[in-house]
Amino acid sequence: MAAVGPRPVPALLAAAERHLRVGTPADLAGAVTRSHLDDGRCVGWYGPPALGWRVAVDAERADAPVPAALARRFGTADFWARWTRAECLCKLADVPVAAWWRRHGLSIPPDSAAVWRTLRLGDLVVTVAFAPDPPPRPGRGPASARF
């Protein structure tokens, strides 16, 4: 089996605005993946499938105050962009955010196979990220994603 390449992922990321919708959770029930906001809205991904890749989305209100404890730990510069990227990679790796923080802070590991785009969508900061599907483990079910 050939290795999974980045196509069509770069094109999907470049056109992310066309594949994202904002609405209520009920409105976006058919999304491939969603992110719920603190104000009751939801952001959903409606892009076509990318064979061999998983997708995650995370969104936050751009003007939301950074919680004091997180500001002390991670600083406030470009906080929501860094936060949404880390959240997406946590989702793709199936790793709790607290475990990610201990290991990476809000950074992306340099050897990460994930690709992402962070953008403004109205009043939101949104990251869309893709990671290759983990290889199956013989006799043990799907492999855990590496972070």
Side-chain angles (χ1 to χ4, degrees):
M1 180 177 199
V4 173
R7 288 183 210 130
V9 172
L12 290 171
L13 289 174
E17 295 91 335
R18 290 191 304 223
H19 303 298
L20 291 165
R21 296 183 193 156
V22 179
T24 68
D27 292 340
L28 303 182
V32 173
T33 186
R34 301 182 301 177
S35 178
H36 295 267
L37 296 154
D38 64 350
D39 63 4
R41 291 180 294 166
C42 189
V43 176
W45 176 257
Y46 286 85
L51 186 61
W53 292 84
R54 293 168 293 129
V55 62
V57 62
D58 193 66
E60 298 291 343
R61 289 182 303 110
D63 64 352
V66 176
L70 294 175
R72 283 191 301 276
R73 185 169 185 173
F74 302 115
T76 58
D78 204 28
F79 180 83
W80 293 120
R82 293 183 295 132
W83 176 269
T84 60
R85 283 191 292 270
E87 281 278 359
C88 279
L89 269 66
C90 287
K91 291 174 184 181
L92 291 169
D94 196 24
V95 172
V97 72
W100 187 273
W101 290 347
R102 285 191 296 277
R103 188 156 184 186
H104 304 291
L106 292 183
S107 298
I108 305 300
D111 64 344
S112 175
V115 293
W116 66 90
R117 180 172 172 213
T118 301
L119 59 136
R120 284 292 297 259
L121 190 64
D123 65 332
L124 305 175
V125 174
V126 180
T127 295
V128 177
F130 288 85
D133 284 334
R137 298 185 312 181
R140 294 180 56 193
S144 295
R146 185 173 147 268
F147 69 96

